[in-house]
Amino acid sequence: MDLFVQQLVNAISLGGVYALLALGLAMVFSIMGLVNFAHGEIMTLGGYAMWFVTVQFGAPLPVVVAASVLTGLVAALLMERIAFRPVRGASVVTMLLTSFAVSVMLQVTFQNVISPRPKGVQLPPEMSRVIPVLGVEIGVIQLTAIVMVLVSLGLIMLFLRRTTLGISMRAAAQDFSVARLMGIHADAVVATAFAISGLLAGVAAFLWVAQRGSVDPGMGLTPIIKAFIASVMGGLGSLPGAVVGGFVLGFVEIMLQAWLPQAALPFKDAASLAIVIAILLWRPQGLLGRAADRV
Amino acid sequence: MALLSVEHLTVSYGAIRAVRDLSLSVEAGEIVAVLGANGAGKSSTLNAIMGLLPASEGSVRLDGREIHGTPPERVVRLGMTLTPEGRHVFPRLTVEENLVLGAIPLRDRSRAQALRRRIFERFPVLAERRGQQAGTLSGGEQQQLAIARSLMSGPRLLLLDEPSLGLAPRYVDLIFDLILDLREEGTTILLVEQNVERTLSIADRGYVLVTGQLQLSGPAAELQASSGIERAYLGIGVA
């Protein structure tokens, strides 16, 4: 039982990171039809910002978090302005290739300007402690992840439900040209979508790097592919779907990791993808996707 | 000076010209109809006036100010808005949220509050269903919401694209009564409609398009009496 609870905590903290990334992808996709594969590099930049402030200034934890989140925000806004605004309204393929190009250019830049090798990020030792919660030993990192994920998701939900800009975002995701008839500025809505995706990627970067303790040029690749899988599984373009997809994927991965027999462990990714395929065969539009109304 | 004046408007989709060299004007306080068969270019005309179609040429002036090429999000702030064909309410937003978005062009919060009160009086069904998702409303209710949402920006000139299309007869009556009320209250209306008879009975003037070109225009009463209008709908054109 304890083991299950511990694995559940792991699943929620890993799934939460996927959920943050998938929500960022879904946000941008629902507004401008772009699957941003350079989203992972926003995360990597956040990781390098953490490395920089810890190595250079020995910054305290809150500053490290702020550095990662703000770097995510600024990187996403710059990416939108420089790379994606010129191709807005272009074909899906054009936008997709643009995002691959941005991704590769950033990775090569990291390799040449910083280092192809991983850079260690030293966080305070309290972060890697284990504390008892209700009789179960739980890692501080996992606990932090769960809290930060829930707070981020809660704030995003409040923003989308309660503010005019948030309602505008949902409207623009449903019908972009009619949203413009309401006086909603296309530039503002797209920039906001990128800003939110960048903030979420910054939070995800902190949690990811805190977990593994280092950052390298290709760090963003794995999580971004997982996030993409999560958002497809949840229903591409559906914001709640992306969050649900992230948690489901995290849960599946952790449970396979914990209960697959030793000999089968090398196949855990294959097994988790097989489960994703099974889910999509059952619901081709994704868990919360709508079959026909995204036009 | 005309409130809206359109000169030599041409709208193209690739090689196809949907509207050719169309000129029309709307005076403040008028109800002006644009009539024509399916595919005559009526919706393209409204969309081009509103700035939704980038590929158009010609001049569109609101209060004498050139607005051709101005994006729709700016045009609504100048006091003109469009209720698009097919209603296009935001289906997964509530009635209330749809109306909130309609008021974005207004700077004045208290004016938005007053408009909202007025709209709930005018459309009691929307007040009743304010917390419901717009996609769950009936067609007639969605049309009311679409118009109400446009009215939330306090427009001086309202472009209505096929507001009675596909509605049950009692909603058709309601929409035509509403258009007359709005004019009474000082809103100018440019109306595209399939329902020619009803439209000409409430309009002051009309323009008849055939395959993107102006065939006939004049006071509504004259158009009603003319045989040209039927021929326009049969697609024969007027010699």
Side-chain angles (χ1 to χ4, degrees):
Chain A
M1 187 60 207
D2 282 2
L3 185 63
F4 180 76
V5 173
Q6 258 159 13
Q7 296 301 351
L8 195 62
V9 168
N10 289 337
I12 297 172
S13 65
L14 178 68
V17 174
Y18 292 161
L20 294 181
L21 292 169
L23 180 58
L25 280 181
M27 197 109 190
V28 168
F29 179 81
S30 65
I31 299 279
M32 66 177 283
L34 159 75
V35 178
N36 183 10
F37 273 97
H39 198 61
E41 278 58 52
I42 296 178
M43 207 181 143
T44 310
L45 273 167
Y48 279 121
M50 291 168 66
W51 164 72
F52 185 77
V53 295
T54 44
V55 167
Q56 292 292 312
F57 311 113
L61 201 56
V63 177
V64 179
V65 177
S68 172
V69 172
L70 289 179
T71 304
L73 170 71
V74 172
L77 285 173
L78 285 176
M79 216 179 251
E80 191 273 322
R81 189 68 194 81
I82 296 167
F84 295 124
R85 194 170 295 184
V87 296
R88 194 189 296 167
S91 75
V92 175
V93 178
T94 305
M95 291 197 284
L96 191 63
L97 289 180
T98 306
S99 82
F100 279 129
V102 173
S103 165
V104 170
M105 279 160 63
L106 284 173
Q107 284 189 34
V108 172
T109 308
F110 299 148
Q111 285 167 13
N112 289 302
V113 174
I114 302 171
S115 163
R117 300 175 58 77
K119 292 286 183 189
V121 177
Q122 201 84 59
L123 291 180
E126 300 87 67
M127 281 296 286
S128 33
R129 281 232 312 271
V130 168
I131 53 172
V133 178
L134 303 170
V136 187
E137 302 275 297
I138 291 175
V140 173
I141 288 179
Q142 276 74 32
L143 220 56
T144 315
I146 292 172
V147 171
M148 285 180 79
V149 166
L150 293 183
V151 168
S152 307
L153 294 179
L155 288 176
I156 297 289
M157 214 179 73
L158 274 181
F159 168 75
L160 289 174
R161 304 245 154 236
R162 296 267 178 266
T163 69
T164 305
L165 182 57
I167 299 170
S168 305
M169 305 281 301
R170 285 157 59 214
Q174 291 174 33
D175 194 333
F176 199 88
S177 59
V178 177
R180 295 180 68 190
L181 273 179
M182 305 294 109
I184 295 167
H185 284 280
D187 285 351
V189 170
V190 173
T192 308
F194 271 90
I196 291 174
S197 82
L199 285 172
L200 294 175
V203 175
F206 170 75
L207 299 173
W208 196 257
V209 172
Q211 189 94 264
R212 68 209 292 267
S214 70
V215 47
D216 63 78
M219 180 185 89
L221 184 64
T222 304
I224 210 55
I225 288 176
K226 298 290 173 64
F228 181 62
I229 293 168
S231 63
V232 170
M233 179 164 57
L236 194 55
S238 157
L239 305 183
V243 173
V244 170
F247 280 112
V248 170
L249 186 64
F251 184 82
V252 167
E253 285 192 354
I254 293 289
M255 293 306 156
L256 288 173
Q257 168 83 37
W259 278 290
L260 270 186
Q262 193 68 37
L265 270 186
F267 301 103
K268 92 178 153 65
D269 279 347
S272 81
L273 288 178
I275 291 172
V276 170
I277 290 171
I279 289 174
L280 287 176
L281 285 174
W282 164 56
R283 278 186 71 85
Q285 71 275 40
L287 292 169
L288 300 186
R290 270 163 266 248
D293 71 8
R294 215 205 113 76
V295 185
Chain B
M1 181 180 59
L3 177 56
L4 176 74
S5 119
V6 175
E7 273 159 31
H8 310 298
L9 180 71
T10 294
V11 180
S12 319
Y13 298 94
I16 299 158
R17 296 241 183 98
V19 178
R20 265 175 294 176
D21 197 27
L22 174 66
S23 297
L24 62 83
S25 70
V26 180
E27 302 288 334
E30 277 189 311
I31 297 178
V32 174
V34 177
L35 303 168
N38 271 332
K42 301 175 310 260
S43 293
S44 299
T45 302
L46 291 196
N47 289 338
I49 290 172
M50 200 57 210
L52 278 171
L53 295 174
S56 64
E57 294 159 43
S59 153
V60 178
R61 284 200 298 273
L62 187 64
D63 297 318
R65 174 177 167 183
E66 181 62 52
I67 58 163
H68 184 246
T70 308
E73 57 263 40
R74 295 240 177 77
V75 173
V76 290
R77 289 184 165 75
L78 302 173
M80 174 165 79
T81 192
L82 164 71
T83 309
E85 182 182 351
R87 310 184 269 275
H88 288 281
V89 296
F90 299 109
R92 295 190 295 288
L93 299 187
T94 64
V95 168
E96 181 103 56
E97 287 171 333
N98 269 277
L99 294 175
V100 166
L101 296 181
I104 286 178
L106 288 180
R107 292 275 152 71
D108 184 350
R109 277 282 169 129
S110 63
R111 174 130 187 260
Q113 280 300 319
L115 274 170
R116 182 173 164 283
R117 264 198 306 277
R118 180 79 192 87
I119 273 165
F120 280 149
E121 278 166 29
R122 193 196 285 279
F123 304 98
V125 67
L126 298 183
E128 235 169 79
R129 315 210 153 176
R130 62 179 81 179
Q132 210 167 309
Q133 288 209 335
T136 65
L137 302 182
S138 77
E141 291 162 354
Q142 288 191 20
Q143 186 63 61
Q144 292 179 59
L145 176 57
I147 295 176
R149 188 179 61 180
S150 296
L151 294 176
M152 284 297 289
S153 68
R156 289 174 296 145
L157 173 57
L158 176 60
L159 314 182
L160 286 171
D161 195 351
E162 307 273 13
S164 79
L165 188 66
L167 297 188
R170 70 187 176 101
Y171 284 123
V172 174
D173 292 344
L174 191 145
I175 298 293
F176 278 98
D177 289 347
L178 172 67
I179 294 170
L180 280 173
D181 282 356
L182 289 176
R183 190 255 297 269
E184 201 72 13
E185 291 163 25
T187 310
T188 307
I189 311 261
L190 180 58
L191 174 64
V192 159
E193 255 297 338
Q194 299 269 346
N195 193 334
V196 180
E197 213 170 303
R198 294 287 303 258
T199 302
L200 287 178
S201 74
I202 64 162
D204 299 304
R205 291 187 300 114
Y207 293 85
V208 180
L209 302 185
V210 174
T211 57
Q213 276 179 309
L214 185 64
Q215 282 292 348
L216 204 57
S217 68
E222 275 176 32
L223 290 179
Q224 246 167 335
S226 116
S227 59
I229 187 141
E230 275 165 32
R231 281 194 257 157
Y233 273 84
L234 290 171
I236 301 167
V238 182

